[in-house]
Amino acid sequence: MSDQIYQAAAIGRAKPNFRVIAMIVASAMFMEQLDATVLATALPTMARDFGVSAPSMSIALTSYLLSLAIFIPARGLIADRFGSRTVFRSAIAVFMAGSIFCALSPNLLCLVLARLLQGLGGAMMLPVGRLVLLRSVDRKDMVNAMSWLLVPALIGPILGPPVGGLIVTYLDWRWIFYINVPIGIIGFTLVSIFIEDFKGEAKRPFDTIGFILSGIALGSLLFGFESSSRPGEGAFSLFLIAVGMLFGIAYLKHARRHPSPIMDFSLMKVPSFGTSVIAGSLTRITQGAQPFLLPLYFQLGFGLSAAKAGQLVTAAAIGSMAMKAFAPRVLRRFGFRNALVANGVIATFGYALCAAFRPDWPLGLIFAILVMCGFFMSFQFTAYNTVAYDEIDRDRMSSATSFYTTFQQLMLSLGICVGALALHTSMVANGSQTPQLHDFSAAFLFVTAISITATFWNLRFSRSAGADISGHDAGKAAHASEH
């Protein structure tokens, strides 16, 4: 029996199927997404336990995403040097260790430090899995591969809010982090069996100076934006932002001289990649603010319990899952450019409607609007994540995934910061000690005003962008031949 298991494992590693790999990587995403969405629902309860205000708990979310943004650039070289399976397994182990330390945290400072450790594991986990998937799938299967990758991972956001609400209501919030342990053990086992230990052929030197400069720049900028949402820290936040900008400029000068910079900005010259990074970043600011704003909105603004708020927040994740079956057909029919322009406006308008939510609205209507928000926004990110690699050569795929994922996580972190800052600014302007309904409305309108500007960048995509991935041109040719 054991011989059969080892033979099956060997076959799985020799000829990895992209669907199997996508499901394994999605399991890691499930663990991360479950952790993030469960935590967002529990923030008000955790704030009471730690003796801080609920908006101040945004640092528990941004510290994790900050760690992702700092360490993701290094993961391409690390995976190439030590092997994808080795790095993937190590990342899962680090994430589990961080989860345990989070559960044991006696105060907010310890929680932030533990979340940074979790982020280190997450930084290695998902990008390595995505890189393996991109290297194992044909271009014609790219959209389907991304859908396979994202659908199981969306179970996390669906289960997260109600699970978080139930844990906070009936158990202790610390169980939010303990549930990562059995999931991580399963993931560790599956990676050992099915993931190939791929190593890059090129032995590029590690950009130590670039890693330090980019880490200080990203860390200072994010914590500067985050601290700006807390009262009495305006001068300190400006100092951090200034430091971040100075080190960012220093990194850009360094990157021009280094033969293999840790973040290769020359990739931005690739049309589909550069446009996807910019447009996707603007949209992700809005998306990143939602897991922070919505649970607080429903608990503090509507007076709902954590469990009830969690049930409402699941709507967006349900909409995301419903979309995945439509993405290949929509992209084939309309192409990436047309779909991104039209869908981007609809998705942004959906989240702008959240500003109008009030306690006397039927909860069924609120749920339906959030389903719509999740549906259209999920399509937008599926398209961005796919068309970005349309013109990237396979030998630059590792650098491209590092660069893209870094900006993806950075903008999600910035979205939380912007949402918290907008909420706090409205509170100060209205003289509120706790967030009121109109404060949340102002925050939603502010973050959606940012994402609507992505429309101008979506219009810059070539009409033929991603045609061989989506089959859009092939579809037009077939239609013409019928007539």
Side-chain angles (χ1 to χ4, degrees):
M1 181 68 178
S2 60
D3 291 339
Q4 294 176 346
I5 294 176
Y6 284 121
Q7 289 175 3
I11 293 173
R13 283 198 293 267
K15 296 181 179 179
N17 182 282
F18 78 84
R19 292 183 179 87
V20 175
I21 295 174
M23 294 292 285
I24 295 172
V25 177
S27 298
M29 291 182 69
F30 168 81
M31 182 167 62
E32 283 205 273
Q33 294 294 326
L34 181 67
D35 181 89
T37 50
V38 168
L39 181 62
T41 307
L43 289 182
T45 301
M46 296 171 68
R48 288 194 295 270
D49 281 2
F50 290 149
V52 299
S53 66
S56 297
M57 287 299 298
S58 64
I59 195 173
L61 300 176
T62 55
S63 58
Y64 173 80
L65 295 174
L66 167 67
S67 186
L68 286 182
I70 291 175
F71 291 107
I72 279 175
R75 71 102 190 106
L77 287 174
I78 293 174
D80 287 343
R81 186 164 300 179
F82 298 102
S84 53
R85 185 172 70 244
T86 301
V87 174
F88 209 162
R89 289 189 302 189
S90 301
I92 292 175
V94 171
F95 189 88
M96 286 193 295
S99 298
I100 294 172
F101 286 127
C102 286
L104 299 174
S105 298
N107 52 51
L108 182 56
L109 175 60
C110 292
L111 177 66
V112 168
L113 294 175
R115 291 284 285 171
L116 290 172
L117 180 62
Q118 263 193 320
L120 173 60
M124 298 294 110
M125 195 157 49
L126 297 189
V128 170
R130 179 181 292 181
L131 178 61
V132 171
L133 184 65
L134 288 170
R135 283 173 167 165
S136 64
V137 62
D138 295 331
R139 292 175 64 81
K140 61 182 178 61
D141 296 321
M142 191 76 76
V143 176
N144 285 326
M146 286 298 176
S147 296
W148 273 87
L149 174 65
L150 294 176
V151 169
L154 290 169
I155 298 175
I158 290 176
L159 293 180
V163 168
L166 291 173
I167 288 176
V168 170
T169 303
Y170 300 108
L171 297 173
D172 190 281
W173 62 261
R174 299 177 190 276
W175 282 97
I176 287 171
F177 300 102
Y178 285 132
I179 59 179
N180 289 331
V181 177
I183 300 173
I185 292 173
I186 294 172
F188 189 96
T189 303
L190 292 175
V191 170
S192 301
I193 295 174
F194 291 104
I195 297 296
E196 182 180 4
D197 202 21
F198 178 86
K199 293 184 180 180
E201 297 179 1
K203 299 295 183 182
R204 295 177 293 161
F206 184 76
D207 183 12
T208 304
I209 295 177
F211 177 73
I212 295 172
L213 291 175
S214 65
I216 295 176
L218 293 171
S220 299
L221 286 172
L222 275 181
F223 273 113
F225 284 118
E226 200 282 331
S227 62
S228 66
S229 65
R230 297 197 296 269
E233 297 191 15
F236 181 63
S237 66
L238 289 175
F239 170 75
L240 287 177
I241 292 171
V243 170
M245 293 179 67
L246 287 174
F247 275 88
I249 294 171
Y251 172 78
L252 291 175
K253 292 182 177 179
H254 163 80
R256 293 193 188 101
R257 299 189 301 266
H258 198 278
S260 56
I262 198 162
M263 284 197 297
D264 186 3
F265 276 85
S266 67
L267 289 164
M268 294 294 290
K269 297 177 182 178
V270 180
S272 61
F273 185 85
T275 306
S276 181
V277 167
I278 296 173
S281 295
L282 293 169
T283 308
R284 284 186 179 90
I285 290 177
T286 296
Q287 180 65 18
Q290 307 313 314
F292 171 71
L293 289 175
L294 283 173
L296 291 180
Y297 195 18
F298 294 137
Q299 292 180 69
L300 302 182
F302 284 42
L304 299 179
S305 67
K308 195 69 175 179
Q311 292 172 8
L312 276 178
V313 175
T314 60
I318 292 173
S320 298
M321 285 196 69
M323 183 282 308
K324 296 306 175 184
F326 295 92
R329 283 178 284 177
V330 172
L331 290 171
R332 180 178 176 83
R333 174 67 179 84
F334 297 102
F336 278 96
R337 180 183 182 274
N338 293 335
L340 283 167
V341 170
N343 186 80
V345 174
I346 296 172
T348 301
F349 176 74
Y351 273 128
L353 278 179
C354 295
F357 288 170
R358 289 297 180 267
D360 57 351
W361 280 42
L363 293 183
L365 177 59
I366 293 176
F367 191 89
I369 292 174
L370 291 178
V371 169
M372 180 194 73
C373 291
F375 183 94
F376 291 107
M377 194 62 81
S378 181
F379 176 91
Q380 200 74 356
F381 291 128
T382 297
Y384 282 139
N385 292 345
T386 306
V387 75
Y389 304 100
D390 177 41
E391 300 171 289
I392 299 296
D393 297 330
R394 285 188 175 266
D395 59 348
R396 302 188 75 188
M397 195 67 76
S398 178
S399 296
T401 53
S402 291
F403 189 97
Y404 193 87
T405 311
T406 298
F407 269 84
Q408 176 179 318
Q409 297 300 336
L410 178 63
M411 291 303 119
L412 290 174
S413 304
L414 186 59
I416 297 173
C417 297
V418 170
L421 177 60
L423 184 63
H424 176 69
T425 301
S426 179
M427 290 169 57
V428 172
N430 292 290
S432 306
Q433 295 299 317
T434 57
Q436 304 299 313
L437 288 172
H438 53 263
D439 297 320
F440 284 106
S441 297
F444 278 112
L445 291 175
F446 186 81
V447 296
T448 51
I450 295 174
S451 64
I452 197 64
T453 61
T455 305
F456 300 104
W457 290 95
N458 291 331
L459 287 167
R460 299 185 64 172
F461 278 107
S462 167
R463 294 187 181 276
S464 61
D468 56 339
I469 298 176
S470 65
H472 178 54
D473 286 347
K476 289 194 296 184
H479 180 76
S481 66
E482 291 176 359
H483 296 77

